[in-house]
Amino acid sequence: MVNWTTYPSLVPLLAVLISLAAVPLIILSARRPNLREFWTIAAGVGKLALVLSLLPPLLEHRVAVLNLGEIVPGVQLAFKADALGVFFALIASFLWILTSFYSIGYVRGLKEHKQTRYFAYFAVCLSSTIGIAFSANLATFIIFYEILTIATYPLVIHKETEEAIKAGRKYLAYTLTAGVFLIAAATWTYLLVGKLDFIPGGLLKNTPFEPKTAVILFSLFLFGVGVKAAIMPLHSWLPTAMAAPTPVSALLHAVAVVKSGVFGVIRIGEFVFGPQLLRRYHLDYLLLTTAGVTIIIASFLALKEDNLKRRLAYSTVAHLSYIVMGVGLISSPALLGSLLHLAFHATMKITLFFCAGAIYVHLHKEKVSELDGIGQVMPWTMGAFTVGSIGLVGLPPVNGWLSKWCLGWGSVVAERPFFLVILVLSGLLNAAYFFPIVYRAFFRRNKNKKTGEASPFMVVPLVLTAGLSILFGLFPDIGFKLFKIATDVGILIFGRLQ
Amino acid sequence: MMPSNTIPWPPLIYLFAGIFIPLAALKWRRLAGWLALVATAAAAFFSVVNLLRALDQGVISYRFGGWIPPIGIEYILDPLSGFVTTVINLIALGVLFHAHRSVEAEIRESRWPPYYALVMLFLTGANGIIMTGDFFNLYVFLEIGSLSLYGLIAVGEKKSPVAAFRYLVMGTVGGGFYLLGVGFLYLVTGSLNMGDVRNILFHLPVTPPLIVALTLMLIGLGIKMAVFPLHGWLPDAYTYAPSPTSAIMAPIGTKIGAYSIARIFFFIFGLKLITQVTPIAQVLAWLSAIGIIYGSILAMAQNEIKRMLAYSSVAQVGYIGLGLGLANSFGFIGALLHIMNHGLMKACLFLVAGNFRLRLGHSRIDRLDDSLRRSMPWSTAAFTLAALAMIGVPPTVGFFSKWYLALGAIEKKNWLFLMVILISSLLNAVYFFRVIERMYFRPVNSRQTSENLSETTSAEAREVGPWLLLPTLIFALALVVIGFLNVWIVKTILTKALPAVF
């Protein structure tokens, strides 16, 4: 057993606040776009640096904590940059920098309106995402979770078309409802145990329950975080939200927002209920059933979707449920797989969204059926797309294979080989909906008159994320020690790595 | 060094201001607003002083004219009354700051002095009701407050006299019910002093006249509080009253009824009488729950911001009623907190509605469009923030009301009430986002233009001046700041304001 110690530190708070502090600067420099974008990038780099500074102590099993006083009686507004939190924060803050560069290319390429609002709310979203990552208890978590809900809204309706406004309504209807369930669950938990801290192995571990109560409480929680995690049947806001500009879909609907949802599932599963309780009351069945069904159905829906971004959205729905499934399998390799997929799916899916956006900006094409020969026009973009596709199918050397491997290992350890079958089946389905795109792009005849790639602001980030996906596939521990941190979380919860 | 007996000062200051303002402002009408502002500031200051004293010393009784209760009239200063007077006087201060300009715009100059005098009398009533420890004295203040409110409503637009008359009828009926209840109570106990009545009731068996008294008082105060289905007067009164009146009436008016119910039923009659002997708490909770849903749904159907806010008030008063009706400490804290929170939110929203009226000449939802966000950015931002607070998005105040009320409902294992509390925040989201969408995303040219040429289009409007903007923004800011301070408020004030039974 490893001993974790804590030390007080302002860094978690600063990491949350730095992008919030950029908001007034972004608004004030509305008339000077270059300066405005400088603030975004500066905040992004600063955020990453702050999160990275938490890494060395974390690897020595020292956790930064910060207590800001009570927010409701008995519960502190508190931050705790534990392994799981830093893991998520690293991914989100790193990908924010790349997305910011990409956004510059995207909004300028399309001459989007209200760019200042766009960058300002993006910064708010990132603040709340990091807040979610570093929340030490449910109340703090809920606060940032709700702020994220609201801050994403202006980005979803950014285009202000009838379609976008409708998407915004649907988005709010789903996410606000979920927030309400989360509050109900949190208040109930508070009355049961008198505190709301996230405790490895489960806050409620020693609470006597009636089985019915456990199921209802867990369902409330699952509903609360399940909407953002796009678990079926709570997923339908996500394809609709593709009305947002592509960088928003890329970062928020493949990384920040939806990953906050699955991050919530992990927090609830491993830190509020805990594996023992999940098993004792058969709550794992609930997770596994919904996740399994979601993976298969969403993959089929992706298959028949012609709009590229919506196809990616359904694919995201399926892949988010991989992570949920990993929690439901209740074994440390499966949890490891969950965490790795949380990170690796982010790098892969953001690549694909970046590609979709680059195609849209450069050639104004949104449909899969229009992509014939596009690989000859935009070889780098479609090359990156191919890398992302291979990764999501789960083939080496792209990082997706590793997380799937761990999930498969976990399902064997948990003696639920059925989910190995689901993993394989879903891999095949991924191939079925991604490879035709690659085939079209490279092997069909090119009818486009336009040549060349999109702006380097867009191409460089997407090539980087694709490269990163391969790099993580070969050396998962490189740079951010993601593999090490994820293993630490697994050991923290289960005591050992099976 | 503070004078030792500041307890009755807030209502007295208002009373004298109410008498003095028409005289002093005979010659300089502009003086009226200034005097009202000064009086309110003084009253607010002394209510803070009172609150601090109450927190320090607990329950303090003040005897008018030195007469010993139960013969004389007694004022009770405890953390509860100190808290509520502080809240309403501070809110009144902000609103009157704003009223300074909006009264000038909406009310004829010759009516300024009487208008402000009535505002002062209304606040006299409000403060008196909260401070008094005497059943009959409470009735007197109730009538002072209500009568001045009828006048304040009636000076508004064309339909306002009708609205005022309707309120007058319902309000008088409410007062009558309350008075009858007091009569029955006197019949049973032979006393009108609240503390005295409590002690006598402790030894008395429960008899039908007592139950009749309880019921009559609940109905009477329920009308003042606008509990469903006794809310009929409220929508018209809020809509047609001039903006400054709605802004002062909405955050304060119904809260006084709610406070009286809390005070009389929980502190005087006691938990046993209202939960076990009679189901008064349950009835209150159920009616409030229905009111929450009913008010929210009707708010969605409105096309006028003030009317929408009025129905929203019916729903929000339901939160307070529900919290009281839960009859446990979480519910009670939630209700008290919501008295303050809803006061702040509604004050902010009505001030914005007033700003719109001032600049656009209307506050109709279907005529708003996205030029507002450019022409009146601060007002729209304040509206949005207050709307988020109403929905209950953390860390604004609305979230914390919801938190305590949800705790109360779960502790009672009443899942239906929990659902009502939570669903209503979604309904709030529906009707507020309807307005927000229009203010921010509805293109100007899609509007059918020029049906009324005298109206300013929102594109030509400009942001209101600092006198109007400052209080609006202070309220908006308070929604967040007080959200963070909620623990402090609950711990230092509200836990001391709970009835002893919790």
Side-chain angles (χ1 to χ4, degrees):
Chain A
M1 208 56 196
V2 193
N3 256 336
W4 291 80
T5 51
T6 58
Y7 65 98
S9 163
L10 271 177
V11 176
L13 178 67
L14 293 178
V16 171
L17 291 183
I18 185 165
S19 49
L20 212 55
V23 172
L25 297 172
I26 290 172
I27 293 171
L28 284 177
S29 34
R31 283 171 203 287
R32 298 172 60 192
N34 288 336
L35 181 65
R36 181 185 67 197
E37 267 71 293
F38 166 77
W39 294 123
T40 298
I41 304 288
V45 173
K47 197 186 261 301
L48 182 63
L50 284 167
V51 177
L52 274 177
S53 77
L54 293 168
L55 195 55
L58 189 80
L59 295 173
E60 296 161 15
H61 297 111
R62 294 197 302 129
V63 176
V65 290
L66 180 66
N67 210 329
L68 294 173
E70 284 182 310
I71 185 73
V72 286
V75 184
Q76 317 280 331
L77 181 66
F79 295 103
K80 185 174 181 186
D82 65 355
L84 180 60
V86 172
F87 186 83
F88 183 37
L90 273 176
I91 304 159
S93 54
F94 178 67
L95 291 178
W96 185 36
I97 301 178
L98 292 180
T99 311
S100 300
F101 279 113
Y102 181 84
S103 290
I104 297 170
Y106 184 87
V107 295
R108 293 191 181 176
L110 285 180
K111 301 194 175 54
E112 281 278 354
H113 69 156
K114 303 190 178 83
Q115 296 182 7
T116 306
R117 180 180 78 190
Y118 173 89
F119 283 105
Y121 278 103
F122 231 131
V124 179
C125 283
L126 258 291
S127 270
S128 34
T129 308
I130 303 300
I132 289 171
F134 289 158
S135 294
N137 57 46
L138 264 171
T140 317
F141 179 84
I142 288 176
I143 289 174
F144 287 107
Y145 198 75
E146 294 281 280
I147 295 176
L148 181 62
T149 300
I150 297 296
T152 316
Y153 173 74
L155 295 173
V156 172
I157 52 85
H158 181 83
K159 288 181 183 164
E160 297 186 15
T161 55
E162 199 63 35
E163 188 203 353
I165 289 178
K166 282 212 177 100
R169 277 183 208 155
K170 190 166 183 181
Y171 168 74
L172 280 182
Y174 274 79
T175 47
L176 285 176
T177 312
V180 154
F181 277 88
L182 203 53
I183 291 171
T187 42
W188 195 354
T189 309
Y190 178 73
L191 283 177
L192 284 173
V193 284
K195 53 183 182 177
L196 291 175
D197 301 326
F198 291 131
I199 294 170
L203 165 69
L204 296 166
K205 192 165 63 181
N206 300 320
T207 316
F209 273 118
E210 282 177 46
K212 205 173 65 183
T213 316
V215 173
I216 296 174
L217 183 58
F218 188 72
S219 308
L220 283 176
F221 270 121
L222 194 60
F223 198 112
V225 291
V227 165
K228 285 210 177 93
I231 299 172
M232 280 190 179
L234 312 172
H235 69 286
S236 85
W237 63 272
L238 185 59
T240 318
M242 290 301 124
T246 308
V248 174
S249 313
L251 189 63
L252 299 183
H253 301 140
V255 185
V257 172
V258 292
K259 292 289 155 63
S260 298
V262 284
F263 181 80
V265 174
I266 298 175
R267 280 284 191 216
I268 305 301
E270 315 290 4
F271 291 77
V272 175
F273 276 78
Q276 295 170 6
L277 222 56
L278 291 186
R279 193 170 289 149
R280 193 183 313 151
Y281 297 110
H282 304 297
L283 303 169
D284 50 344
Y285 283 104
L286 198 62
L287 285 172
L288 288 173
T289 319
T290 47
V293 170
T294 308
I295 291 172
I296 299 301
I297 295 184
S299 302
F300 275 111
L301 288 174
L303 206 54
K304 72 175 196 36
E305 187 62 66
D306 190 33
N307 181 305
L308 179 56
K309 275 179 76 184
R310 286 175 64 94
R311 184 176 288 196
L312 293 180
Y314 278 116
S315 159
T316 304
V317 173
H319 279 272
L320 291 169
S321 274
Y322 278 40
I323 301 166
V324 177
M325 188 180 91
V327 177
L329 283 172
I330 315 191
S331 65
S332 78
L335 181 61
L336 173 66
S338 270
L339 288 174
L340 290 180
H341 207 59
L342 196 150
F344 294 165
H345 171 253
T347 63
M348 296 181 284
K349 197 44 83 49
I350 208 169
T351 311
L352 297 186
F353 270 115
F354 281 172
C355 294
I359 295 167
Y360 176 64
V361 171
H362 196 56
L363 300 172
H364 299 285
K365 296 209 186 305
E366 290 181 294
K367 290 195 175 144
V368 173
S369 51
E370 299 169 341
L371 298 183
D372 289 3
I374 209 163
Q376 294 141 41
V377 187
M378 308 170 76
W380 285 97
T381 307
M382 287 320 289
F385 193 94
T386 312
V387 170
S389 305
I390 293 174
L392 287 172
V393 173
L395 300 176
V398 188
N399 53 11
W401 79 273
L402 184 60
S403 44
K404 280 203 185 180
W405 177 272
C406 291
L407 283 168
W409 176 22
S411 66
V412 173
V413 169
E415 289 169 358
R416 295 193 196 283
F418 175 67
F419 290 91
L420 198 60
V421 178
I422 287 199
L423 279 174
V424 173
L425 185 61
S426 134
L428 291 175
L429 285 167
N430 270 285
Y433 61 74
F434 278 131
F435 287 160
I437 303 177
V438 178
Y439 172 78
R440 261 175 200 283
F442 286 106
F443 302 110
R444 289 269 180 97
R445 219 159 63 88
N446 178 21
K447 289 178 199 136
N448 291 294
K449 295 202 179 70
K450 214 168 172 181
T451 52
E453 289 277 354
S455 121
F457 272 117
M458 304 174 77
V459 179
V460 173
L462 65 88
V463 170
L464 276 178
T465 50
L468 211 61
S469 303
I470 298 178
L471 201 62
F472 280 145
L474 297 173
F475 313 102
D477 233 0
I478 201 164
F480 300 141
K481 301 270 178 203
L482 290 176
F483 195 80
K484 168 89 171 69
I485 305 176
T487 330
D488 275 349
V489 177
I491 294 171
L492 185 66
I493 304 290
F494 290 97
R496 68 208 162 94
L497 193 65
Q498 178 70 37
Chain B
M1 190 62 206
M2 273 297 141
S4 58
N5 269 326
T6 52
I7 295 172
W9 285 21
L12 285 180
I13 290 170
Y14 284 125
L15 184 61
F16 283 110
I19 297 165
F20 186 63
I21 284 175
L23 296 175
L26 263 183
K27 204 153 173 143
W28 306 282
R29 295 206 174 101
R30 284 184 180 280
L31 205 57
W34 287 107
L35 285 174
L37 205 56
V38 171
T40 315
F45 173 75
F46 284 112
S47 37
V48 173
V49 171
N50 281 347
L51 175 63
L52 294 177
R53 266 187 77 181
L55 292 179
D56 190 36
Q57 299 169 24
V59 185
I60 309 166
S61 145
Y62 177 86
R63 288 151 192 187
F64 260 96
W67 292 90
I68 295 165
I71 309 228
I73 286 173
E74 182 188 24
Y75 272 19
I76 303 287
L77 173 66
D78 58 6
L80 179 63
S81 62
F83 171 70
V84 182
T85 43
T86 306
V87 166
I88 66 166
N89 288 332
L90 286 176
I91 290 177
L93 185 63
V95 173
L96 278 178
F97 204 78
H98 184 273
H100 214 75
R101 283 280 181 283
S102 60
V103 166
E104 272 175 26
E106 291 198 20
I107 291 160
R108 250 188 289 152
E109 197 182 337
S110 60
R111 287 187 180 156
W112 293 350
Y115 184 85
Y116 281 110
L118 284 178
V119 171
M120 292 295 103
L121 288 177
F122 167 63
L123 290 171
T124 312
N127 279 271
I129 290 170
I130 296 164
M131 303 291 299
T132 190
D134 186 282
F135 280 108
F136 187 78
N137 195 239
L138 194 148
Y139 170 72
V140 173
F141 280 121
L142 205 61
E143 287 300 293
I144 292 178
S146 304
L147 285 170
S148 24
L149 212 45
Y150 306 145
L152 289 174
I153 296 168
V155 288
E157 57 189 76
K158 219 187 270 168
K159 285 187 188 160
S160 65
V162 184
F165 185 71
R166 193 164 170 196
Y167 181 33
L168 183 117
V169 173
M170 290 230 6
T172 312
V173 169
F177 267 106
Y178 173 78
L179 188 62
L180 268 176
V182 174
F184 272 94
L185 195 63
Y186 186 69
L187 188 79
V188 178
T189 60
S191 174
L192 288 173
N193 179 283
M194 289 185 185
D196 203 31
V197 165
R198 183 183 53 212
N199 295 336
I200 294 169
L201 280 181
F202 192 71
H203 302 288
L204 282 186
V206 180
T207 51
L210 180 62
I211 293 173
V212 172
L214 284 172
T215 316
L216 289 173
M217 285 168 125
L218 181 71
I219 296 172
L221 295 172
I223 290 177
K224 298 283 178 191
M225 181 183 166
V227 175
F228 178 87
L230 309 171
H231 65 279
W233 57 271
L234 187 145
D236 279 352
Y238 281 22
T239 314
Y240 300 121
S243 311
T245 306
S246 349
I248 203 150
M249 174 167 68
I252 297 174
T254 49
K255 308 300 178 302
I256 297 162
Y259 168 87
S260 313
I261 287 181
R263 167 69 80 190
I264 293 175
F265 287 91
F266 285 83
F267 285 79
I268 310 303
F269 293 142
L271 215 50
K272 193 174 159 225
L273 206 54
I274 60 169
T275 54
Q276 289 162 24
V277 179
T278 61
I280 280 187
Q282 289 91 319
V283 168
L284 182 64
W286 275 100
L287 291 180
S288 303
I290 299 170
I292 291 174
I293 300 295
Y294 168 88
S296 305
I297 289 176
L298 279 182
M300 287 179 207
Q302 304 309 320
N303 193 21
E304 156 70 51
I305 290 184
K306 280 171 82 177
R307 204 171 177 79
M308 181 188 94
L309 294 179
Y311 277 108
S312 146
S313 280
V314 174
Q316 298 285 317
V317 161
Y319 274 50
I320 302 170
L322 184 59
L324 294 176
L326 285 171
N328 57 15
S329 61
F330 283 124
F332 203 82
I333 289 178
L336 292 185
L337 203 59
H338 203 60
I339 286 182
M340 172 179 69
N341 294 348
H342 179 240
L344 292 169
M345 296 188 266
K346 267 294 142 63
C348 183
L349 289 167
F350 270 105
L351 293 193
V352 175
N355 292 351
F356 284 167
R357 290 207 154 198
L358 218 57
R359 282 294 183 247
L360 308 177
H362 69 84
S363 51
R364 285 187 45 184
I365 298 171
D366 62 353
R367 291 205 204 147
L368 300 178
D369 58 49
D370 73 349
S371 56
L372 261 182
R373 73 174 164 196
R374 276 186 295 276
S375 53
M376 302 177 74
W378 294 104
S379 293
T380 43
F383 187 91
T384 310
L385 189 64
L388 292 180
M390 294 284 290
I391 296 165
V393 176
T396 59
V397 290
F399 171 73
F400 297 101
S401 304
K402 215 161 66 175
W403 181 270
Y404 292 101
L405 292 172
L407 281 175
I410 295 176
E411 199 185 58
K412 279 262 153 167
K413 300 227 177 301
N414 198 323
W415 309 116
L416 195 80
F417 288 165
L418 178 68
M419 268 175 60
V420 167
I421 293 164
L422 298 176
I423 286 176
S424 89
S425 64
L426 298 178
L427 298 177
N428 287 350
V430 173
Y431 61 79
F432 276 111
F433 267 96
R434 200 165 70 102
V435 182
I436 292 173
E437 259 181 19
R438 277 180 185 273
M439 289 194 310
Y440 283 93
F441 312 123
R442 186 151 190 247
V444 189
N445 47 17
S446 76
R447 200 171 72 118
Q448 279 98 37
T449 42
S450 71
E451 29 190 294
N452 189 346
L453 287 174
S454 66
E455 266 177 19
T456 325
T457 61
S458 20
E460 294 158 16
R462 59 203 161 77
E463 186 57 271
V464 290
W467 273 93
L468 295 160
L469 202 54
L470 200 62
T472 316
L473 293 181
I474 287 174
F475 277 122
L477 197 64
L479 295 176
V480 179
V481 174
I482 300 222
F484 279 108
L485 291 179
N486 86 87
V487 174
W488 181 81
I489 292 171
V490 168
K491 284 211 160 165
T492 49
I493 304 174
L494 296 186
T495 45
K496 290 181 187 164
L498 291 178
V501 280
F502 295 145

